[in-house]
């Protein structure tokens, strides 16, 4: 899952980026409103976090409003030092989905992000399920046929992305854009390497009795499919 964070306070931006990356998210950070808007128009972000007060011509609410007007559908979370009801209403009217008042705890931010990611098409369903596979994004647990599977954070976010887009063909480019941040050096075969790791953990150990779930679609990419 890829996150855009527009925040001008270096300390907060750095801490949030490091923390979310440890949880397996890919995070791009931007420190002013104008650059923030150009990033916020990118449809590849799965969640957008906007600080309300930003240097430049645009604040967080302006970015939210303009990004929504341009068709951005990703959930938007506004960070703010203000907590009045009017401010919240203003934020929601600008197209934001949620609102977090500074100072906030990192665990609360993660919980809010996870709640936003659980909106449709996976309504109120904490644990993702596909065939005999389960993935719990809150507790970082994966099982197949009831057996726990240990994944690295990148493998976990790759599998989470597959499960949120089950039965859809995902190109390598789409996968790179959602799983790695823009600074990451992603070689052409990096996706293949991670698909290989994932297959060795969720498909190969079960190959005697269960179908392989990660399918290669020649010339297109990959899909999670039980058919
Ligand atoms: Ca600020």
């Amino acid at each position: 899952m890829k996150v855009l964070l527009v925040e001008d306070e270096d300390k907060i931006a750095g801490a949030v980026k490091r923390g979310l990356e440890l949880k397996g998210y890919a995070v791009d950070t931007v420190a002013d409103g104008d650059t923030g808007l150009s990033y916020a128009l990118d449809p590849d972000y799965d969640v957008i976090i906007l600080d309300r007060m930003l240097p430049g011509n645009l604040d967080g609410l302006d970015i939210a409003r303009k990004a929504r007007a341009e068709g951005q559908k990703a959930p938007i979370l506004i960070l703010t030092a203000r907590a009045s009801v009017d401010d919240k209403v203003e934020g929601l009217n600008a197209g934001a989905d949620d609102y977090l008042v500074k100072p906030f705890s990192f665990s609360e931010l993660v919980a809010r992000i996870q709640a936003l990611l659980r909106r449709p098409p996976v309504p109120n369903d904490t644990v993702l399920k596909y065939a005999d596979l389960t993935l719990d994004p809150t507790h970082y647990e994966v099982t197949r046929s009831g057996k726990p599977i240990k994944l690295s954070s990148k493998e976990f976010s790759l599998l989470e992305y597959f499960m949120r887009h089950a039965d859809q063909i995902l190109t390598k480019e789409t996968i790179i854009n959602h799983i790695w941040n823009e600074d990451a050096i992603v070689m052409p075969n990096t996706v293949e390497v991670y698909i290989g790791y994932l297959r060795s953990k969720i498909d190969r150990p079960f190959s005697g009795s269960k179908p392989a779930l990660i399918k290669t679609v020649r010339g297109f990419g990959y899909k999670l499919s039980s058919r």
Side-chain angles (χ1 to χ4, degrees):
M1 297 285 125
K2 188 159 163 176
V3 177
L4 171 64
L5 172 63
V6 184
E7 164 64 82
D8 59 308
E9 285 167 71
D10 286 351
K11 264 192 187 163
I12 296 179
V16 168
K17 180 178 166 74
R18 277 191 301 280
L20 289 178
E21 284 178 347
L22 284 174
K23 299 254 176 203
Y25 293 91
V27 183
D28 291 334
T29 55
V30 174
D32 71 90
D34 302 270
T35 319
L37 176 62
S38 67
Y39 276 69
L41 300 177
D42 184 341
D44 285 334
Y45 290 111
D46 300 293
V47 175
I48 296 174
I49 304 172
L50 303 171
D51 186 27
R52 180 164 176 158
M53 303 296 282
L54 291 166
N57 299 314
L58 304 169
D59 69 10
L61 296 187
D62 297 326
I63 296 174
R65 212 174 283 121
K66 288 176 192 286
R68 283 286 182 252
E70 294 289 325
Q72 177 59 266
K73 294 194 172 55
I76 295 176
L77 175 74
I78 303 272
L79 301 177
T80 182
R82 303 193 251 174
S84 81
V85 174
D86 281 352
D87 286 327
K88 288 185 189 175
V89 170
E90 222 186 320
L92 298 175
N93 283 344
D97 300 273
D98 201 2
Y99 204 87
L100 191 54
V101 177
K102 289 178 176 180
F104 53 85
S105 74
F106 183 69
S107 56
E108 177 161 23
L109 176 65
V110 171
R112 298 290 187 94
I113 291 173
Q114 287 173 334
L116 290 172
L117 287 170
R118 282 199 297 271
R119 296 183 326 165
V122 193
N124 303 323
D125 194 358
T126 319
V127 178
L128 305 176
K129 294 192 175 83
Y130 185 81
D132 56 342
L133 203 57
T134 71
L135 180 146
D136 181 343
T138 312
H139 301 101
Y140 298 93
E141 288 166 357
V142 172
T143 67
R144 180 154 190 201
S145 290
K147 287 194 185 124
I149 297 173
K150 282 251 171 294
L151 298 180
S152 72
S153 65
K154 266 295 181 249
E155 293 159 4
F156 187 92
S157 46
L158 183 57
L159 183 61
E160 181 179 3
Y161 193 67
F162 269 119
M163 290 183 76
R164 290 186 190 278
H165 298 86
D167 293 312
Q168 296 172 26
I169 297 173
L170 303 174
T171 65
K172 280 187 200 170
E173 193 188 357
T174 305
I175 293 171
I176 290 170
N177 288 342
H178 284 267
I179 306 297
W180 280 273
N181 68 33
E182 61 165 10
D183 301 328
I185 297 163
V186 185
M187 308 300 276
N189 69 345
T190 301
V191 174
E192 286 162 48
V193 169
Y194 276 91
I195 295 281
Y197 292 156
L198 208 49
R199 281 178 165 148
S200 74
K201 294 181 179 178
I202 71 158
D203 279 335
R204 213 157 300 141
F206 303 89
S207 61
S209 54
K210 301 282 175 186
L213 295 175
I214 300 174
K215 306 283 202 300
T216 300
V217 186
R218 296 242 173 266
F220 293 97
Y222 302 94
K223 75 174 170 180
L224 186 72
S225 170
S226 56
R227 280 166 288 177

